[in-house]
Amino acid sequence: MAKFARVQSAHTYLLKTYTVDVETDITRGMHHFTIVGLPDKGIDEAKDRVSSAIKHTGFQSPKQKNEKVVVSLAPAHVRKDGSGFDIAIALSYLIAAEEIEFDPRGKLFVGELGLDGSVRAVNGILAIALFARKKGVKELYIPAGNVAEAILVDDIDIYGINNLKELVEHLDNDIDSETDSEIMRLNPVRGSASAASGAAALIHEEIFEIADIQGQAMAKRALEIAAAGKHNVCLYGPPGTGKTMLAKALSSILPNLRHEETLEATSIHSIAGILDRNIINRPPIRHPHHTASYVSIIGGGSNPRPGEVTLAHHGVLFMDEFPEFDKKVIEALRQPLEDKVVTIARAKGTATYPANFILIAAMNPCPCGYRGSKKKECKCKQSDIARYERKLSGPLIDRIDMFVEVSEVDHDKLLGKNKSGEDSRTIRSRVETARTIQQNRNPKKAGATNSDISSKNISEVTQMSRSAEDILKLFAQRLDLSARAFHRVIKLARTIADLANSETVEDKHILEALQYRPKVN
């Protein structure tokens, strides 16, 4: 007589999460154990992990029985990978084999099993927890190593599992904990925003103090504006002038992520398998090398995976030696810089990933780096300089709000022991105030900044004085600004006005915004 059982698990694919029904059917016959439902090699190897874990938990291994065991991962049309189905497969088998008995409804199981029955952490738990709450799951059973990540999600009971034995003892209705003193039931952790805040407070992140950078007052001012309105910046100047240090210091003046942004950023990093801490409550800073491939920056592959532009979501993408990146990579930045998403089309399907980040590009003024330097002579040919400049197309330049020269600093200033300018905390306070003003201007969109203003309503949002309009029109003609660059100047001026706590955009705000446009397009 056939025996059947079904328990629920979940799987992340292309940053989306799906419910997976783990069904087990056992019939008499010669021993055979198979897993169907588009599993990858890692899932197919679960047969050995599950069999060994079941044996070490105190039950007879499926390999020791003359039974035909078929495990189905439904829906069968969705590709599945990883080792997160191990626990669900083991429980489904034990129910079908009538070794244990419990009601699996309202419960979801995710985790990898060791051969001894121990439970190991897996990727993508935060996304799974969010999905489970949305689907009305009451109890989420996950590895103990993933609990600190899952408690970001409220209104769901989270059970951390150390091994299969304690999970079986907790679930099995045939075990009476009142008569067996050695049996311990698992205690749930209730996810909540307060629990997440407490966990976030434990995270210590080394932040580069902006006041430690000597000089470069104009570049620091540009970074403050960029942080306030989420504007893109290109820093250019000779080698060794502090462009990399400035880019790294940007993180020190950015506000902490809001709870929703923390959930999204942490979920992306968890799914990608690079979460090196439990919670990302600070804007992520990504710094890919200029030799990085198109797929690693933009995303893709046979099974499309997120790239650096998505890993920098709600944070900063710092691209040093910007023109040295592959031209195809540079031009591919157009879509995420404009639409805040990146779309990857492959034969197996299309994936759209979030990519709302601040771009900080750093570059030298020429191939040798010393054009315009007062200390060293440029040795580049004019043709080399022209070829170097052509690596940045007009459409891409239009999408960068500020071009800031980072000039050489006198050696006397470099020896200064005192901090230069305001510290990060003071600047961050102004940035947070400006962000609040922008949010109040657009209350319907959480986390709205001036970079999100659409061209449709830009005139009514910016509230520009008549004289400021006249100045903008005059210089727009002189600089031959495109429509996109024209609107970006207005958004930038609006941010400058917000930092000054001005309700209207005045002449000085427009003039400061215009000075950040490249001198030659």
Side-chain angles (χ1 to χ4, degrees):
M1 181 177 180
K3 303 172 184 178
F4 176 83
R6 178 190 293 116
V7 300
Q8 278 198 331
S9 187
H11 176 56
T12 57
Y13 181 66
L14 302 181
L15 295 188
K16 294 182 180 180
T17 307
Y18 302 87
T19 299
V20 176
D21 289 327
V22 180
E23 302 171 332
T24 300
D25 180 81
I26 302 176
T27 56
R28 291 181 179 178
M30 295 296 292
H31 170 70
H32 184 70
F33 195 154
T34 184
I35 300 176
V36 298
L38 281 185
D40 71 343
K41 183 66 174 176
I43 296 176
D44 190 56
E45 291 173 348
K47 294 179 291 188
D48 296 318
R49 293 194 299 271
V50 168
S51 296
S52 179
I54 288 174
K55 180 182 68 175
H56 286 283
T57 303
F59 300 100
Q60 191 175 6
S61 169
K63 291 188 175 182
Q64 296 174 332
K65 300 179 181 180
N66 284 327
E67 296 175 336
K68 181 179 180 182
V69 181
V70 178
V71 176
S72 174
L73 307 179
H77 69 278
V78 177
R79 180 177 295 277
K80 305 165 190 75
D81 55 27
S83 54
F85 300 110
D86 287 6
I87 291 177
I89 293 172
L91 292 176
S92 179
Y93 170 80
L94 289 173
I95 297 173
E98 298 179 347
E99 298 282 3
I100 64 174
E101 179 185 349
F102 72 93
D103 186 358
R105 290 177 296 183
K107 300 178 179 67
L108 192 143
F109 303 90
V110 180
E112 176 186 335
L113 287 173
L115 297 182
D116 60 351
S118 60
V119 176
R120 297 190 177 98
V122 295
N123 298 330
I125 283 295
L126 180 55
I128 290 172
L130 288 167
F131 177 79
R133 181 184 64 180
K134 181 180 178 181
K135 291 296 183 180
V137 173
K138 302 300 181 184
E139 300 176 7
L140 176 63
Y141 293 83
I142 60 174
N146 289 123
V147 170
E149 178 184 343
I151 61 172
L152 281 165
V153 182
D154 54 10
D155 297 329
I156 188 170
D157 286 334
I158 300 163
Y159 292 83
I161 313 164
N162 292 296
N163 54 69
L164 182 60
K165 185 175 187 298
E166 69 176 18
L167 176 59
V168 168
E169 291 178 349
H170 171 78
L171 294 171
D172 194 357
N173 294 332
D174 291 337
I175 298 177
D176 189 352
S177 58
E178 294 182 0
T179 59
D180 192 340
S181 59
E182 295 183 1
I183 301 301
M184 294 293 292
R185 299 293 185 185
L186 297 174
N187 295 318
V189 176
R190 189 71 172 176
S192 67
S194 59
S197 299
L202 297 176
I203 293 175
H204 172 73
E205 183 181 78
E206 183 179 355
I207 296 179
F208 202 102
E209 171 58 56
I210 197 169
D212 290 336
I213 302 174
Q214 298 297 321
Q216 308 299 358
M218 184 175 179
K220 292 178 182 178
R221 168 64 174 170
L223 291 181
E224 178 181 347
I225 297 169
K230 295 187 75 171
H231 300 289
N232 304 312
V233 183
C234 178
L235 303 172
Y236 66 93
T241 53
K243 299 186 294 293
T244 301
M245 292 175 65
L246 285 162
K248 290 181 178 179
L250 176 62
S251 64
S252 68
I253 62 175
L254 287 171
N256 287 339
L257 296 182
R258 295 176 298 105
H259 182 63
E260 295 79 8
E261 293 171 340
T262 295
L263 289 175
E264 194 170 10
T266 305
S267 178
I268 290 171
H269 283 242
S270 177
I271 293 172
I274 61 170
L275 188 65
D276 56 357
R277 52 187 176 177
N278 292 321
I279 300 172
I280 296 178
N281 64 332
R282 292 285 303 157
I285 310 293
R286 303 298 300 178
H287 183 186
H289 193 263
H290 63 266
T291 58
S293 67
Y294 177 93
V295 170
S296 66
I297 300 293
I298 305 302
S302 56
N303 293 316
R305 298 182 62 83
E308 292 291 335
V309 296
T310 299
L311 297 175
H313 187 53
H314 294 314
V316 177
L317 178 64
F318 173 41
M319 301 182 73
D320 204 0
E321 305 293 345
F322 192 47
E324 300 301 330
F325 281 84
D326 188 277
K327 187 173 179 61
K328 194 168 69 168
V329 171
I330 296 176
E331 291 305 311
L333 292 173
R334 293 189 194 182
Q335 185 195 15
L337 290 179
E338 188 74 22
D339 301 329
K340 313 298 185 184
V341 297
V342 60
T343 302
I344 302 166
R346 294 292 183 270
K348 294 182 180 179
T350 300
T352 299
Y353 297 143
N356 187 359
F357 57 86
I358 300 174
L359 172 67
I360 304 295
M363 59 182 288
N364 297 326
C366 65
C368 80
Y370 294 106
R371 185 171 62 144
S373 172
K374 298 177 182 179
K375 299 180 180 180
K376 293 188 179 182
E377 181 182 356
C378 175
K379 298 180 180 180
C380 298
K381 297 179 182 178
Q382 194 59 40
S383 58
D384 294 334
I385 295 174
R387 190 181 306 110
Y388 187 77
E389 291 178 341
R390 282 199 301 270
K391 290 186 177 182
L392 303 186
S393 65
L396 183 68
I397 290 174
D398 277 352
R399 288 168 168 82
I400 299 177
D401 303 275
M402 292 184 282
F403 286 79
V404 184
E405 183 176 4
V406 183
S407 56
E408 294 162 322
V409 180
D410 293 337
H411 294 151
D412 292 341
K413 290 184 178 180
L414 293 176
L415 291 173
K417 296 181 180 179
N418 297 327
K419 293 185 180 296
S420 175
E422 297 175 310
D423 60 18
S424 296
R425 180 176 295 182
T426 303
I427 299 174
R428 185 167 63 246
S429 177
R430 288 200 298 269
V431 169
E432 290 171 346
T433 301
R435 290 272 187 106
T436 301
I437 293 172
Q438 295 166 59
Q439 180 65 81
N440 293 338
R441 193 181 293 126
N442 188 5
K444 294 183 179 180
K445 182 177 181 180
T449 60
N450 288 331
S451 64
D452 300 317
I453 300 174
S454 65
S455 56
K456 180 181 178 180
N457 60 357
I458 193 169
S459 58
E460 61 184 66
V461 171
T462 50
Q463 298 177 349
M464 196 181 308
S465 67
R466 180 59 62 85
S467 59
E469 286 185 8
D470 294 338
I471 292 173
L472 176 61
K473 293 175 183 176
L474 175 63
F475 279 90
Q477 291 179 346
R478 288 184 179 180
L479 296 173
D480 193 21
L481 296 181
S482 66
R484 180 183 289 110
F486 183 80
H487 285 148
R488 285 188 175 268
V489 169
I490 297 175
K491 296 177 186 179
L492 192 62
R494 180 66 264 177
T495 300
I496 295 169
D498 290 337
L499 285 167
N501 201 21
S502 173
E503 292 186 5
T504 58
V505 176
E506 304 293 345
D507 301 9
K508 59 183 179 180
H509 306 138
I510 285 291
L511 289 170
E512 183 176 358
L514 285 167
Q515 76 173 344
Y516 294 117
R517 293 309 304 167
K519 303 300 183 289
V520 178
N521 263 346

